[in-house]
Amino acid sequence: EMRPEVEVIMVTAYGDYDMAIEALRSNAFDYLKKPIDIDDLLGALGRFREKRSLRKNYYPAFRVLLLDDEETQRSFLKRLLEDEGFEVLVAGNGEEGIKIFEKEKIDIIVTDIKMPGLSGMEVLYKVKKMSSDVEVILVTGHGDQNVAIEALRGGACDYLKKPIDLDELIFALQKAKERIKLERSLRFRNRDVRLLKEMNQPK
């Protein structure tokens, strides 16, 4: 009543289902069951962000995590991608990249395959186990077709050969953005449909 523009996500314990549905009928935005599943929470927040973006005709910048053990390459690509409108975080190895991924919301990872410690393939497998809401682009300096095929089977959305062609990198990132938008939109719409059905159930 005080601020109609504020959205509310309810958190429900076992047995609170009826109250959650009543909250939806009273204009709560969504509800989550305890224990809270992080993907469900991110999904609810993502739905809100998308709806707010549509109202304002603005989509927030995508966050890219760039992993490369060559500092000069990292700095150059970071400036390039920021000029293209991305928000960019960087790390010099896979272990540092995983730590950043655990703390920050990352949309796209661009990672070299050959790095000290964790390889780019290992980073791919780890982040895909942690979250399905991320796209990974792998960079290889060896042109190994078998590695590329393994990467795509492991969930990578694309791979690039070194030296990186900047136009190819931008194209791969734009393709990853569209894939993320589509998958999130479908997931959000499915949630909207389920909530609508639940609200319309007889009391």
Side-chain angles (χ1 to χ4, degrees):
E1 289 180 354
M2 294 167 60
R3 296 180 58 186
E5 74 277 10
V6 172
E7 298 287 4
V8 177
I9 299 172
M10 308 297 291
V11 179
T12 69
Y14 178 77
D16 289 346
Y17 177 76
D18 290 340
M19 283 191 288
I21 300 305
E22 189 58 37
L24 292 174
R25 290 170 175 153
S26 299
N27 293 322
F29 185 73
D30 205 338
Y31 73 91
L32 303 172
K33 296 178 182 178
K34 287 185 177 180
I36 294 176
D37 181 282
I38 295 300
D39 283 339
D40 289 343
L41 175 58
L42 291 175
L45 294 172
R47 284 177 59 241
F48 164 71
R49 185 173 74 166
E50 183 187 69
K51 291 188 175 184
R52 182 185 62 180
S53 301
L54 290 172
R55 287 198 296 267
K56 295 183 177 181
N57 197 26
Y58 164 75
Y59 204 94
F62 275 72
R63 302 187 85 187
V64 174
L65 175 58
L66 181 62
L67 307 182
D68 196 308
D69 57 335
E70 297 179 12
E71 185 175 356
T72 303
Q73 177 89 335
R74 287 200 311 270
S75 299
F76 172 71
L77 290 178
K78 183 176 189 294
R79 290 196 302 271
L80 170 75
L81 297 184
E82 286 175 341
D83 288 343
E84 291 291 328
F86 293 96
E87 184 179 345
V88 184
L89 289 78
V90 297
N93 57 66
E95 289 86 352
E96 185 182 347
I98 293 295
K99 289 179 181 177
I100 293 174
F101 187 78
E102 289 173 336
K103 294 179 180 179
E104 304 286 347
K105 180 67 182 87
I106 302 297
D107 300 300
I108 307 169
I109 296 176
V110 179
T111 177
D112 198 352
I113 287 182
K114 299 285 186 180
M115 293 185 294
L118 284 179
S119 69
M121 292 294 294
E122 290 172 309
V123 169
L124 167 66
Y125 294 138
K126 282 182 176 291
V127 300
K128 284 295 184 178
K129 285 183 179 179
M130 295 163 64
S131 173
S132 60
D133 191 34
V134 61
E135 295 294 345
V136 180
I137 299 169
L138 288 165
V139 179
T140 174
H142 304 283
D144 190 331
Q145 196 69 20
N146 292 330
V147 173
I149 292 171
E150 183 184 350
L152 295 174
R153 287 175 176 167
C157 69
D158 211 338
Y159 74 95
L160 304 171
K161 297 177 183 178
K162 283 188 173 180
I164 295 176
D165 182 292
L166 299 182
D167 288 335
E168 287 184 0
L169 174 59
I170 298 302
F171 179 77
L173 287 166
Q174 294 295 343
K175 187 169 66 173
K177 278 177 56 175
E178 294 308 313
R179 183 169 167 173
I180 289 170
K181 285 183 178 180
L182 178 60
E183 290 177 352
R184 287 178 181 171
S185 182
L186 289 173
R187 190 167 67 249
F188 299 159
R189 296 296 77 72
N190 288 337
R191 180 60 178 166
D192 285 336
V193 169
R194 287 198 300 272
L195 291 175
L196 186 60
K197 287 181 178 178
E198 290 176 354
M199 282 190 291
N200 289 330
Q201 289 178 357
K203 295 185 179 180

